[in-house]
Amino acid sequence: MVNYTNRVMTALESAMGHEIAWPDRQERAVICDQNKRVIYFFAGMPGSCHDLTCLRRSSLWGRLGSAQFFDNGQYLLGDSGYIPLDRLVCSYKRTAGDMDKVDFNTCVAHARVGNEHCIGILKARWHSLKEIMTQLRNPAENAYVIRWMRCCIILHNFLIWRRDEWSEDDHPIEVERDDDLGPPP
């Protein structure tokens, strides 16, 4: 079973690995991808790490000021766990009753709903992402889990490309926890 899983993951990565890609200039002209397509993926940090620490260790950190990735007036939205940068707009940590800050935070939260919805759909489609049932005892096992996550994202983007209709009323078949991921190679 593990060899079959590894062969499928290799095929997905080689055939469709380009599906997780930063949008080109024309695609960036759209403020929000209403299709819920994942365009960037970074993993490998413990869940206890602060969001800002993860961002600083990602390849995106060095690209935040790049004209290759952002045109004038384009930026990423972040919650109050991040720090504001030229291309990263964050909500306020404390509003202290300042209605302008409250209104701003509400606007940022509304704009981020699409992103949160995308992650919800991804986890609903691929239940194994909700709770990966394998221990990470060494770098090879960590790499296997990251690869598993990447393949789930590739499949998610593929289904979007195929215009798979997603409904919040869909109830995916529950899988047994032991079969979610299988043992690492």
Side-chain angles (χ1 to χ4, degrees), residues 109-136:
H110 283 255
R112 293 183 65 243
V113 164
N115 181 48
E116 299 299 327
H117 194 208
C118 172
I119 300 304
I121 291 171
L122 180 67
K123 287 181 176 182
R125 278 183 168 149
W126 315 109
H127 274 236
S128 61
L129 295 176
K130 287 185 178 181
E131 187 175 344
I132 296 177
M133 300 300 291
T134 190
Q135 292 183 354
L136 303 177

Side-chain angles (χ1 to χ4, degrees), residues 13 19 26 52 56 73 90 98 109 132 136 145 157 169-170 174 184-185:
E13 290 172 324
E19 288 296 317
Q26 183 178 358
L52 185 57
R56 284 183 172 146
C90 307
D98 182 332
I132 296 177
L136 303 177
V145 170
N157 285 351
D169 296 330
D170 289 345
E174 292 291 331

Side-chain angles (χ1 to χ4, degrees), residues 8-148:
V8 169
M9 289 193 311
T10 298
L12 277 171
E13 290 172 324
S14 64
M16 303 211 40
H18 64 280
E19 288 296 317
I20 306 170
W22 196 258
D24 62 23
R25 177 167 288 213
Q26 183 178 358
E27 291 170 324
R28 286 194 317 260
V30 177
I31 293 172
C32 178
D33 181 357
Q34 70 276 10
N35 294 324
K36 312 287 188 281
R37 185 175 55 102
V38 176
I39 60 171
Y40 183 77
F41 166 66
F42 174 73
M45 303 290 295
S48 60
C49 279
H50 193 278
D51 290 346
L52 185 57
T53 301
C54 294
L55 176 61
R56 284 183 172 146
R57 292 194 181 164
S58 75
S59 62
L60 186 59
W61 180 253
R63 299 174 180 173
L64 282 175
S66 170
Q68 178 185 359
F69 291 94
F70 296 96
D71 290 331
N72 287 333
Q74 292 181 330
Y75 46 85
L76 294 176
L77 294 176
D79 60 24
S80 62
Y82 294 96
I83 56 172
L85 301 167
D86 288 344
R87 301 287 185 189
L88 179 60
V89 175
C90 307
S91 55
Y92 290 98
K93 288 184 182 185
R94 294 178 187 87
T95 58
D98 182 332
M99 288 313 294
D100 288 337
K101 289 180 180 179
V102 170
D103 290 344
F104 179 82
N105 281 0
T106 301
C107 289
V108 170
H110 283 255
R112 293 183 65 243
V113 164
N115 181 48
E116 299 299 327
H117 194 208
C118 172
I119 300 304
I121 291 171
L122 180 67
K123 287 181 176 182
R125 278 183 168 149
W126 315 109
H127 274 236
S128 61
L129 295 176
K130 287 185 178 181
E131 187 175 344
I132 296 177
M133 300 300 291
T134 190
Q135 292 183 354
L136 303 177
R137 297 171 294 226
N138 58 54
E141 291 175 351
N142 191 49
Y144 181 79
V145 170
I146 292 170
R147 190 171 175 214
W148 182 272

